[in-house]
Amino acid sequence: MFSRSIDVITVDLATVEADEDLLSVAELGRALGIARTDALGHYLAAHTWLRQRLAEYLEVPAASISFAENEWGKPFIETPSTDLSFNLSYAGGKALLGVGFRTDIGVDVEALEEARINPEMINRVLSRPEADSVRHSGDMKREFYKLWVRKEAMAKANGWGVGEETTTNLLGLSPVERDGREVTDLNIGDEFAAAVAVRAGCEIVLTTGVSVSA
């Protein structure tokens, strides 16, 4: 039976002590390719925290968890054998994690201070109605990234790669339902845009100060 409730958890990565001993060779290998010191610190903290939280659900040592990826690069738990599903996103020192059993989850967060927007991006990743909404909004950056995180969360819930949810119109009041899934805006502070996508009808259980946007 799939989860009727999905846990969505957020954390300030500055409060997480990175532990490289918990990470796999593959995770450490990816870390070697991160040049910026702050980005490397966020990566190590986010993946440490991910393992620690999943270990609580699985009741296994954090270092014993191994991951694999589907054909679009979405990670899943390979060992131990489990029905636990998850999705992680982090930006601007904030991490967001969705967890549930036998279900599809997608989360995305963007830091608005770090984010950029230009006409090419609007045309490339948004449907025409969405692009028109952004252009006529009072805050183009915030409106664009509200839609961007919805699309990324929906694409991840569908198991697709980044940028594969460009044609679906996700305008509307949160939550927005499309093809049996709901995408819900999350309020984790004015400086962030965030969303979670799950199977329609699932309850979202929010912790560590995250609240659903009106």
Side-chain angles (χ1 to χ4, degrees), residues 2 74 102-106 150 153-160 165 168 170 175-184 196-202:
F2 66 85
K74 182 179 180 180
R102 290 189 181 180
T103 193
D104 301 316
I105 307 166
R150 287 182 180 184
M154 189 71 86
K156 293 176 183 179
N158 287 327
W160 300 340
E165 194 62 63
T168 303
L170 294 179
V176 177
E177 182 174 350
R178 296 288 186 273
D179 299 324
R181 300 197 190 282
E182 286 182 345
V183 60
T184 301
V196 55
V198 296
R199 192 189 305 262
C202 287

Side-chain angles (χ1 to χ4, degrees), residues 1 3 53-60 64-68 75-86 99-103:
M1 187 68 178
S3 293
R53 295 313 301 251
L54 294 180
E56 294 173 0
Y57 285 90
L58 297 169
E59 299 181 338
V60 300
S64 71
I65 301 170
S66 65
F67 301 103
F76 61 90
I77 299 169
E78 185 175 48
T79 306
S81 179
T82 180
D83 294 324
L84 190 70
S85 303
F86 77 94
V99 185
F101 285 91
R102 290 189 181 180
T103 193

Side-chain angles (χ1 to χ4, degrees), residues 3-65:
S3 293
R4 289 291 183 182
S5 65
I6 305 298
D7 292 339
V8 178
I9 313 157
T10 188
V11 71
D12 184 342
L13 291 174
T15 68
V16 178
E17 184 176 351
D19 186 350
E20 296 180 29
D21 291 337
L22 296 183
L23 305 186
S24 68
V25 171
E27 287 168 313
L28 293 174
R30 285 191 288 272
L32 291 175
I34 302 175
R36 284 174 41 195
T37 301
D38 58 341
L40 175 60
H42 290 163
Y43 172 88
L44 294 173
H47 285 265
T48 295
W49 178 71
L50 169 66
R51 284 180 170 275
Q52 291 169 339
R53 295 313 301 251
L54 294 180
E56 294 173 0
Y57 285 90
L58 297 169
E59 299 181 338
V60 300
S64 71
I65 301 170

